């Protein structure tokens, strides 16, 4: 062999130069994002502590200290502080820093990641680049927001003082939301199991009504079902039903249709051999369902059912079309009540946090259950 | 009460169609009390389908199945009751995964035979002992080896005190080193006088333990007789070809 590399032994080095500073790229990405987020909070807090008047700039943006009648506007100073902080020079610097450093990190990361000497360092470079892009995106969105009518927005949506004294109401709202959702889900599961067993029947006459029910409730809007069935109970059947109770029933009926499909899929996912084993021991079809199939199916459908539950929690807001008495206000209804009292939408923002307080823990549980089922511990949940 | 001809099982001209596929093509056979019948044959020959018609897990498209004096293909026969007298063990075990070994056995005793919990418990423990797994009574199927699961499945079927046991390729899903423990259990059962019908690929077992061999091909019974004799001197061409492949 008389190639150039032959005298050296081994193939030529095609790896190229090793890139510098993987940790630097990662650090830049993190710094861009952290400064952007934490910096904005710091600016807000500082302004909230120092500012105590409604400035002229705020007035110019529509944040009035007094009404035209001369009475003070509740929360005007707080809103002005938010606006002033967003418009401040410090905020410009922080967002500018986030965008610039984030852009630098992502450019460096994408340019150099292939030349990192180890897998670990390559991942660091990529992580830095991705965080950088996120910082750039957030920063640009922030600048865009600031170019709009910040005063109008903050006045209508971010007036915390409007919410003073409404904690009890929100708590009651959470309780009522949970009541509607829990009763709806429980009723829905009961209806769903029955419908699922009917829907998998070999007999068309048994299947048909279940299919009609399921398709009807899945095929029409929940908001329509709420008002239609409420008035059907009230006038059609002449039952003096309260709106809150009617809502619970309709949520059950509606959830039943979705749960039926979930259970049907769960039952059909159980191996044929399970039914054969049960039947060959002399069990009837219903016994085989009850003792062999459904206990296994229930375990498999826990994650999709909990997803349905999370959806139902949010859908309880639709009960607003029926109108509730004050002690039955759920979260959304309560927020609208505050809105109609104050003509200020800040309560709706607060409501979102109320829903998240309920749904986030649930979503975590669903994920935990799912990963546990996936890891093969199929018998593990409620095995005893 | 045996059938009029004295047999425990009598199949009369059984046909089975799956859609357009003719799987069983007119099979007639009788099985006497105490027979250990092994059914062998190439895959797709209809062995398992035939076995499963005996307890009507597969309903014959045509023909009659008589068991213990009753025509069980008659729609008026209480099949659930008949099935309590016919045990079946499957290739895939089909244990209930959400129940422990003991609960697997107790379930049908309580829900079908209506025994109280104490009685069922006693029977379950006795049957577990019978298959040598009483120390695994509280284990779940997922915690047991394939061989152990299959022995539990055998115990579950035996607990019903069946007059007939059906085995559908029960060792085919097992690792080679686990096959023996299941075959040993079945051999002991045969020695105790249980009437058994066994679909298998274990030729040694068919020859040594079986009292009768049925060779099926293409939905028909081709050979039926004493296993040792048949294997020593295979007459039918297809049977000879099959033996030369598997032995």
């Amino acid at each position: 062999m008389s190639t150039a590399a032959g005298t050296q032994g081994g193939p030529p080095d095609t790896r190229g130069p090793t890139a510098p500073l993987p940790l630097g790229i990662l650090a830049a990405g993190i710094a861009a994002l952290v400064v952007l987020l934490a910096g904005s909070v710091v600016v807000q807090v500082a302004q909230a502590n120092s500012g105590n008047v409604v400035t002229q700039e705020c007035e110019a943006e529509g944040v009035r200290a007094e009404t035209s009648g001369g009475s003070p506007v509740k929360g005007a100073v707080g809103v002005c502080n938010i606006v002033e902080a967003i418009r401040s020079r410090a905020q410009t610097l922080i967002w500018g820093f986030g965008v610039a450093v984030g852009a630098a990190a992502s450019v460096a990361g994408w340019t150099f990641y292939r030349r990192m000497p180890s897998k670990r360092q390559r991942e660091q470079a990529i992580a830095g680049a991705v965080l950088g892009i996120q910082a750039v995106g957030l920063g640009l969105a922030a600048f865009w927001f600031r170019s709009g009518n910040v005063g109008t927005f903050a006045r209508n949506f971010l007036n915390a003082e409007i919410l003073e004294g409404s904690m009890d109401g929100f708590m009651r709202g959470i309780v009522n939301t949970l009541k509607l959702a829990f009763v709806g889900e429980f009723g829905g599961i009961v209806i769903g199991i029955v419908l699922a067993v009917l829907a998998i029947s070999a007999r068309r006459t048994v299947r048909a009504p279940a299919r009609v029910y399921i398709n009807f409730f899945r095929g029409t809007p929940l908001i329509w079902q709420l008002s239609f069935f409420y008035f059907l109970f009230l006038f059609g059947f002449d039952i003096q039903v309260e709106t809150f109770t009617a809502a619970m029933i309709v949520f059950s009926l509606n959830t039943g249709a979705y749960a039926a499909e979930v259970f049907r899929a769960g039952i059909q996912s159980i191996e044929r051999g399970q039914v054969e084993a049960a039947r060959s021991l002399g069990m009837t079809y219903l016994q085989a369902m009850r003792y062999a199939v459904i206990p296994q199916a229930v375990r498999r459908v826990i994650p999709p059912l909990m997803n349905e539950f999370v959806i139902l929690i949010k859908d309880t807001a639709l009960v607003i079309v029926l109108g509730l008495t004050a002690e039955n206000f759920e979260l959304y209804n309560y927020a609208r009540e505050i809105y109609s009292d104050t003509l200020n939408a800040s309560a709706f923002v607060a409501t979102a946090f109320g829903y998240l307080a309920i749904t986030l823990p649930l979503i975590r549980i669903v994920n935990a259950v799912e990963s546990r089922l996936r890891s093969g511990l199929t018998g593990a949940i409620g095995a005893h | 009460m045996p059938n009029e001809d004295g047999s425990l099982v009598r199949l009369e001209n059984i046909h089975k169609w799956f859609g357009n596929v003719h799987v069983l093509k007119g099979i007639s056979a009788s099985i006497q009390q105490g027979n250990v019948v092994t059914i062998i044959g190439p895959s797709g020959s209809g062995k398992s389908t035939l076995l499963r018609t005996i307890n009507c897990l597969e309903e014959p498209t045509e023909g009659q199945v008589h068991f213990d004096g009753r025509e069980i293909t008659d729609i008026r026969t209480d099949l659930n009751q008949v099935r309590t007298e016919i045990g079946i063990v499957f290739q895939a075990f089909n244990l209930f995964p959400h129940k422990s070994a003991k609960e697997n056995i107790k379930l049908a005793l309580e829900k079908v035979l209506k025994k109280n919990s104490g009685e069922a418990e006693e029977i379950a423990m006795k049957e577990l002992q019978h298959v040598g797994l009483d120390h695994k009574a509280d284990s779940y199927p997922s915690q047991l080896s394939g061989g152990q699961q299959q022995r539990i499945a055998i115990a579950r079927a035996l607990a019903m005190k069946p007059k007939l046991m059906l085995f559908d390729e029960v060792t085919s899903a097992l690792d080679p080193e686990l096959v023996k423990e299941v075959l040993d259990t079945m051999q002991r059962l045969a020695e105790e006088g249980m009437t058994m019908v066994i679909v298998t690929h274990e030729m040694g077992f068919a020859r040594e333990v079986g009292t009768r061999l049925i060779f099926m091909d293409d939905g028909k019974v081709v050979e039926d007789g004493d296993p040792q004799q048949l294997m020593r001197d295979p007459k039918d061409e297809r049977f000879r070809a099959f033996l030369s492949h598997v032995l």
Side-chain angles (χ1 to χ4, degrees), chain A residues 149-370:
Chain A
N149 293 323
V150 176
T152 309
F153 179 82
R155 180 160 52 86
N156 280 301
F157 288 94
L158 302 177
N159 188 343
E161 275 171 59
I162 288 284
L163 302 174
E164 250 171 30
S166 59
M167 197 59 189
D168 287 351
F170 269 107
M171 281 303 159
R172 202 166 56 231
I174 287 180
V175 170
N176 283 328
T177 293
L178 282 173
K179 262 190 207 164
L180 285 169
F182 266 110
V183 173
E185 185 67 22
F186 180 79
I189 285 173
V190 174
I191 294 171
I193 290 181
V194 174
L195 282 175
V197 171
L198 298 180
I200 57 169
S201 167
R203 298 193 177 85
R204 198 187 291 255
T205 47
V206 176
R207 250 182 1 240
R211 289 304 334 164
V212 168
Y213 179 104
I214 292 168
N215 290 339
F216 175 78
F217 278 97
R218 296 208 317 165
T220 50
L222 180 53
I223 196 165
W224 176 88
Q225 291 163 15
L226 277 166
S227 49
F228 177 80
F229 283 99
Y230 173 63
F231 289 114
L232 182 69
F233 297 148
L234 203 62
F235 301 134
F237 294 140
D238 199 15
I239 305 170
Q240 290 310 306
V241 65
E242 263 198 66
T243 49
F244 195 73
T245 317
M248 283 175 167
I249 295 170
V250 176
F251 287 140
S252 296
L253 294 174
N254 180 275
T255 306
Y258 287 95
E261 291 291 71
V262 170
F263 277 113
R264 186 180 57 80
I267 288 172
Q268 287 176 337
S269 77
I270 304 294
E271 302 71 39
R272 228 178 109 78
Q274 292 292 309
V275 177
E276 289 186 350
R279 294 306 304 272
S280 70
L281 288 163
M283 287 189 217
T284 63
Y285 174 76
L286 284 181
Q287 282 178 319
M289 280 290 144
R290 174 160 166 216
Y291 299 117
V293 175
I294 289 177
Q296 297 181 58
V298 162
R299 263 157 243 190
R300 286 192 198 178
V301 302
I302 288 172
L305 274 185
M306 287 179 76
N307 279 327
E308 288 293 331
F309 184 51
V310 172
I311 293 171
L312 178 59
I313 287 170
K314 295 170 294 169
D315 282 352
T316 55
L318 294 175
V319 73
I320 203 153
V321 297
L322 297 186
L324 294 173
T325 51
E327 78 273 13
N328 283 334
F329 280 159
E330 42 72 55
L331 271 173
Y332 198 74
N333 231 318
Y334 182 64
R336 195 189 57 171
E337 193 65 12
I338 297 182
Y339 176 76
S340 37
D341 283 353
T342 60
L343 292 181
N344 187 296
S346 299
F348 285 118
V349 176
T351 303
F353 289 99
Y355 283 112
L356 285 172
I358 305 173
T359 52
L360 287 185
L362 265 169
I363 290 168
R364 279 197 72 120
I365 295 171
V366 179
N367 291 341
V369 170
E370 258 181 344

Side-chain angles (χ1 to χ4, degrees), chain A residues 271-274 276-285 287 290-293 295-296 299 379 383-384, chain B residues 52 55 57-58 80 83-84 86 88 90 94-99 107-108 111-112 114 140 156-157 160:
Chain A
E271 302 71 39
R272 228 178 109 78
Q274 292 292 309
E276 289 186 350
R279 294 306 304 272
S280 70
L281 288 163
M283 287 189 217
T284 63
Y285 174 76
Q287 282 178 319
R290 174 160 166 216
Y291 299 117
V293 175
Q296 297 181 58
R299 263 157 243 190
H384 291 277
Chain B
R52 289 155 57 91
N55 68 349
L57 270 187
E58 302 292 355
N80 295 325
R83 284 183 178 139
T84 63
I86 305 176
I88 182 167
F90 302 93
N94 294 350
L95 291 177
F96 305 128
H98 57 300
K99 296 195 172 290
L107 183 64
K111 305 303 177 192
V112 179
K114 309 290 179 200
Y140 284 83
R156 180 174 70 177
M160 305 293 285

